[in-house]
Every structure is written in structure tokens, then in C-alpha cells.
Amino acid sequence: MTRAGAALIGLGLLLGVASIGPARAEQLIVSISNTRITVTPNYAGGELVLFGSIEKDVDTPADRGVYDLVVTVSGPRADMVTRRKERTLGIWVNADSREFLMVPGYLAVFANKPLEAIAAPEVLRRQQLGLNNILLTQRVGPDYADVVPNDAFRSAFVRLRSERGLYREETSAVTFLTPTLFRTGIPLPAAVPIGNYKVEIKVFADGALVTKTESSFEIVKVGFEQFVASTARHDGLAYGLVTALMALLTGWMASVVFRRD
Amino acid sequence: MQLYLPIADIPVNVLLILAMGAAVGFVSGMFGIGGGFLMTPLLIFVGISPAVAVASVTSHMAASSLSGALSYWRRRAIDPALAGVLLCGGLIGTGLGVWFFTLMRSLGQLDLVIALSYVVLLTAVGGLMVWEGLRAILRTRQGQTVLATRSGSRNWIHALPLKMRFKRSKMYLSVIPVVVIGLVIGFIGAVMGVGGGFILVPILIYLLRVPTSTVIGTSMVLTLFTMLIATVLHAVTNHQVDAVLALILMIGGVTGAQFGARAGQRIRGEQLRLLLGLLILAVGVRFAIELGIQPQDLFTIRETGGGA
């Protein structure tokens, strides 16, 4: 890297800090109702509650108007393949497919009003706010990229995840109890993936980001079924042998119980 | 009574699965077949993914074929030598089948392969059985006597080398066709989640001329071992064996089979075969229709791992 290049980047960093500096005149304090959720096999879904408060301080401009809030919750990441069926020789066959790389298993965006009313499209894109703006990396041939929001595979992916309650965007979920005190529910479907969840809270005023903070929670599954599932995944051989043994025992028991000859 | 299936990843009604196991067990006891070709499709029709259905039914088949094989063993209706040679092919076939299953799954074509093989196999076997059954019934109506199919005529199979004596079946036969048949059945069983008895028994009778006294018991021994191996291999490679699902099926299946066997003794042979043929044909046609109609959603998602 040339010295000029380094200087430019340095300058950019300085400017970046400078531009955020004066805007950070608010303090954001949040709390989640539960940071470790244990899910049993008959878990039918539930809801977490996120509370928070925006604290003004001396640097806050006196004419600061209303605050807007966007909460983004993203769950554990995994690779996923989306396939499209096409009609070939009269039957429906999986034809084309796209691989989504390390995308969140759960993704939810909550706001207090429609996102386009909170900030300009370009700000939303830069801040990755809303299901259409969050980066979902795809492998397209040899390249890694996200595509336009209305790409067939991307929209089908988001739609299918939404149908299972795993992706959601609710622009009236955040309610302000007072102009600075807010709350939002984080609904969790029954099929919620286990792992660590990141909660990003961004506060906007007059279309500009004023402050942000992060929080997290964890989902743990417990119970016999979970034990079975994790054994099957991590210890396939032992699991297979035990299942085979179980089959033999059941078959033998049946022949003893129902013996007629 | 809802129960969450850990591998299938869906909640199911225990009583429904138990009833399905019992119904298939009843049918299998009635016709003297394993019933995997009915169990797997039923599970798919209630919403369990084809991969999980196939892998879990393999262990169910192991259980039901063991209880069957034990009772045939006590009646000395198993040819150990024939079973052993069939197994040599069967084990290789099962290994190949599980490998093929894994390959198709990674290509996203597993569901299609399973559905297509069901369509082809079930419509062919079912169609043949219905045809045979109708002809037999017509013949008896016309008062003709049905000829015994086990004629003394020899075919090309008896000219093959590497001959071996199968004492209990009173046969002197090359091992080549036996190993090949075992291999094919093992392969089909692992891919489709069937014991393969409904194909194996006719092949053994018509092609190798195995006497009816040993054919069912021997085929059950092959089913038992190929399905045990398939269970372990599916568990190791695809992690798709749902032990909870399998246990419910086993309990329902072995119970139902007892009542089925009793009911089967009251129906005449050719009618029984016609019924079974219709049943097999119906399942095959159901799969064919499913393939032809446009799915509600053209897109599907599957997690491929890499999770943090």
C-alpha cells in the first residue's frame, strides 16, 4: 500500500469518527426479558420482550424531534440451498439451485413505523435495515455476492423462511411508551434454531442514525428428543448401532410375546 | 397425543403413527410381506421428509423381519446356505444403495429418485400381480385347474458356473445369480426403505425355482441383515434415522402383523394376491400423480450445514 493510500484511509477514519462523534449525544439502554431460553420438545413458540430507553444528555440538540427505532434480531448462521422445481418430461424436478452462505437461521426486523419513513433508501441499504437490505450472501458460480432484493431465489428464500415464522419484518412492532421509552416483542416460533442470537438496536432521528447498541440471547434445547437429535448428528455410528439393537430387541420381543408354535 | 420427532423435526400424533404401523403390520401379516413399500409412502404422505422416512423404515423392517425370521427358523423353513450367499450380494448392494442415497441427497434429487423408483417398481409389480390375479380367478371360474408353476424345466441360469448345493432347498445352482439378486435387493432396499421381499420372493420362485417351503423365511433373513446394515449406514452417513419414529412404527407393526396373519388365513390365495396387487398399484399411481401435478411451491430450502 502506498503512503498516500494509507493517509487517505487514515483521513477517512478520522472523518468517520468525527461525523459520528457529535451525533452520539444519546445513550441507549436496553434489556431483554430472558437471555437464556430453554426450549423443550413440546415448545409451541413464545415471545421475548425487549425494553429500552433513549437517554438524552447535555450534547443532545434541544430541537431533537421524535426518535425512530429499528431492532434487528439475527440467529445462528448456516449454509442453505434453495432449489427451484421445473417441469421436465411431464414431471416436476429440482432444476436450478442457489447456495446461501452463512445466512441467519432466524432473522427479524422490528421498527416503530415503515422503514422508508424512518430513513432514506440509501441509508437503509448501508445500515442493512429490513429484509430487503440485509446481506444474504449467495454463491453465484465462482463469485460470492448478494443480488437485488427481487431476485427470484432470494425472494423465494425470504418468503419460505417467513412462512415458517423464521424471517419476519414488522414495522409496527416497536411501541414508544414515552417519547424515549420503548418496548418490542421478539416472537420465537416452535422451530426456532438453537444457538446465539444477536440483537442490534439502532436509533434514528430525522432520517439519520443517532446511536446504536447490541445485545444478545441464547436458545438452548433440552429434553430427550434433543439428546436423540444431537447424538444422531454427532455420534452417528453409536446411534445407528443402538437403533439397530432396538430393532432386534423389539422384533425378538414380538416373537416371544406372540409365539404360537 | 402429540410427540416431537427429533430427526424428522416435526410434531406428530403418536396414535396416528401407531395406527399406521398397525395397519401396515396387518397388511404385511396378511400377505406375508414386510410392508416397507407401504410404510415409507404413508410416512411421506403425512409430511415426513422422504429421506427420514426411508432411513427410519429400514430399522422398522429389521424388527419385523426378525420376528418373522425367528418363527420360520423354528419351523426349519430357512435355507441358511442360500441366505448366506444372498447376503454376500445384499451387503454390497446395501452399501452401494446408501452411497447412492447420499449422493442424490447432496444433488437435491433424492426425493425425486425415491418417488420415481416407487412409481416404476410399484406400478410394474402391482400391475403384474393384478394381471396374474385376474387371470387366476378367471381360470378358476372357468373350471380349469391351475398348473403348479414349479416345473422341472431348466433355464439359462442353470447353465452358469460356480455351482453350489443348497441342501434345505434341494437345489444345485450357480452362486452368481444368487449374489446378483442379493445385490439388487440390497440396493433397492437401502434407497427405497423397503425390505424387498415383495420383489425377492417372486424372483426366487420363478427364476431360481426355490421351493415355497423355504422362500419366505430365507428372504426374511436377507431383509433382516440388509436392513440392519442399512440402518447403521444411514445413521452414519445421512443422520436421517429417527429412532423415536422407528420405535412407534415397530410397536404398531409387530402387533398389527399378528392379527393380519390370522385374517390372511381366511381369504383365498388368488384373491389375496389380487388385493395385494391392487394395493401396490394404488400406491404407485399415487406417487405418479404427485410427480405430475404442479407443486404448491416451486422453491424448497435445505440447510447444508456450516452452522456456527
Side-chain angles (χ1 to χ4, degrees):
Chain A
M1 189 184 286
T2 61
R3 188 169 295 175
L8 261 177
I9 288 174
L11 189 66
L13 279 176
L14 258 177
L15 280 176
V17 170
S19 68
I20 293 170
R24 280 203 185 259
E26 282 88 357
Q27 277 232 320
L28 187 54
I29 299 150
V30 294
S31 168
I32 299 176
S33 57
N34 195 351
T35 53
R36 189 170 187 275
I37 300 103
T38 47
V39 173
T40 51
N42 46 16
Y43 180 72
E47 193 176 65
L48 289 181
V49 180
L50 176 103
F51 270 104
S53 154
I54 305 160
E55 309 263 297
K56 297 186 185 183
D57 65 16
V58 284
D59 297 331
T60 308
D63 60 342
R64 179 73 90 208
V66 290
Y67 291 110
D68 292 319
L69 200 81
V70 183
V71 178
T72 306
V73 185
S74 53
R77 289 169 183 268
D79 293 347
M80 295 181 206
V81 176
T82 302
R83 295 196 167 90
R84 179 165 59 191
K85 285 195 170 66
E86 269 167 34
R87 203 185 183 110
T88 317
L89 300 170
I91 57 171
W92 291 90
V93 180
N94 279 334
D96 216 353
S97 73
R98 290 283 174 77
E99 200 174 352
F100 289 84
L101 301 164
M102 299 311 274
V103 288
Y106 176 92
L107 184 61
V109 181
F110 306 111
N112 61 319
K113 63 182 181 194
L115 294 173
E116 52 272 26
I118 292 178
E122 159 216 339
V123 177
L124 295 177
R125 229 182 349 263
R126 202 170 51 229
Q127 296 290 338
Q128 293 196 41
L129 295 176
L131 291 183
N132 280 341
N133 294 312
I134 287 168
L135 200 64
L136 297 174
T137 314
Q138 281 185 38
R139 181 180 292 156
V140 185
D143 301 323
Y144 299 91
D146 193 5
V147 289
V148 287
N150 56 7
D151 166 70
F153 281 93
R154 191 193 200 276
S155 54
F157 177 77
V158 170
R159 176 173 55 78
L160 284 171
R161 300 300 287 182
S162 304
E163 279 170 12
R164 294 184 58 196
L166 292 169
Y167 277 28
R168 57 178 76 226
E169 180 173 311
E170 286 165 23
T171 49
S172 55
V174 178
T175 44
F176 274 95
L177 307 170
T178 73
T180 58
L181 189 67
F182 61 86
R183 93 182 264 289
T184 181
I186 303 172
L188 301 171
V192 68
I194 52 173
N196 291 311
Y197 285 68
K198 195 170 84 172
V199 185
E200 279 181 292
I201 303 106
K202 290 180 176 167
V203 177
F204 288 81
D206 307 320
L209 179 71
V210 288
T211 181
K212 61 178 179 178
T213 187
E214 265 185 30
S215 184
S216 66
F217 60 92
E218 187 188 6
I219 292 189
V220 192
K221 276 192 184 160
V222 292
F224 172 70
E225 282 84 349
Q226 183 54 30
F227 168 73
V228 172
S230 60
T231 312
R233 183 139 294 281
H234 302 297
D235 215 345
L237 182 63
Y239 178 84
L241 290 174
V242 169
T243 312
L245 198 69
M246 178 181 84
L248 289 179
L249 267 176
T250 318
W252 175 75
M253 287 268 287
S255 84
V256 170
V257 172
F258 297 109
R259 186 166 178 171
R260 275 170 296 161
D261 42 358
Chain B
M1 205 172 117
Q2 291 291 112
L3 183 78
Y4 181 81
L5 297 178
I7 310 293
D9 207 15
I10 53 165
V12 290
N13 190 328
V14 180
L15 298 178
L16 173 74
I17 302 289
L18 208 58
M20 274 168 43
V24 173
F26 183 85
V27 174
S28 66
M30 192 154 119
F31 297 112
I33 50 166
F37 70 94
L38 289 175
M39 199 68 252
T40 309
L42 268 181
L43 292 179
I44 296 174
F45 296 155
V46 297
I48 290 166
S49 88
V52 175
V54 165
S56 307
V57 168
T58 53
S59 61
H60 168 225
M61 296 311 298
S64 67
S65 55
L66 176 68
S67 63
L70 282 174
S71 84
Y72 280 95
W73 180 257
R74 285 194 287 261
R75 280 184 257 154
R76 302 180 63 79
I78 290 173
D79 187 332
L82 183 62
V85 179
L86 277 172
L87 255 177
C88 294
L91 296 188
I92 302 166
T94 306
L96 286 175
V98 173
W99 168 80
F100 180 73
F101 185 96
T102 314
L103 177 75
M104 286 299 119
R105 194 159 170 259
S106 68
L107 293 178
Q109 301 297 358
L110 180 66
D111 295 5
L112 176 74
V113 168
I114 292 174
L116 271 183
S117 17
Y118 269 101
V119 169
V120 172
L121 205 67
L122 297 187
T123 46
V125 174
L128 269 174
M129 289 180 74
V130 169
W131 175 242
E132 275 292 322
L134 282 177
R135 273 203 348 200
I137 286 173
L138 278 179
R139 269 196 306 255
T140 42
R141 284 262 170 82
Q142 289 161 1
Q144 293 174 2
T145 48
V146 184
L147 290 169
T149 38
R150 194 174 187 242
S151 63
S153 68
R154 308 188 140 245
N155 52 25
W156 57 273
I157 282 169
H158 294 81
L160 290 170
L162 287 173
K163 289 206 171 187
M164 180 179 161
R165 200 165 292 282
F166 297 101
K167 245 192 259 164
R168 198 165 284 175
S169 303
K170 301 189 183 67
M171 292 192 309
Y172 183 59
L173 191 69
S174 162
V175 296
I176 295 171
V178 183
V179 170
V180 169
I181 290 169
L183 192 140
V184 170
I185 298 295
F187 183 85
I188 292 176
V191 174
M192 295 177 63
V194 296
F198 72 107
I199 327 165
L200 180 61
V201 172
I203 290 179
L204 290 182
I205 292 177
Y206 295 114
L207 217 58
L208 301 189
R209 310 215 181 284
V210 177
T212 41
S213 58
T214 54
V215 72
I216 293 181
T218 307
S219 101
M220 275 185 176
V221 174
L222 178 69
T223 304
L224 168 62
F225 283 96
T226 53
M227 290 293 108
L228 278 180
I229 302 292
T231 299
V232 176
L233 289 182
H234 274 307
V236 171
T237 55
N238 292 300
H239 313 293
Q240 297 290 304
V241 180
D242 197 314
V244 176
L245 173 64
L247 184 63
I248 306 171
L249 291 179
M250 286 173 204
I251 294 170
V254 294
T255 318
Q258 305 304 320
F259 298 100
R262 265 163 243 180
Q265 286 158 358
R266 285 192 220 117
I267 308 178
R268 289 236 306 283
E270 51 268 36
Q271 283 167 345
L272 206 62
R273 252 175 297 165
L274 181 65
L275 267 179
L276 178 60
L278 281 173
L279 196 66
I280 295 179
L281 196 61
V283 177
V285 169
R286 170 79 159 78
F287 267 103
I289 293 169
E290 197 103 313
L291 280 174
I293 51 175
Q294 177 166 356
Q296 279 193 340
D297 203 319
L298 295 180
F299 289 91
T300 49
I301 299 180
R302 187 165 80 85
E303 276 193 34
T304 50

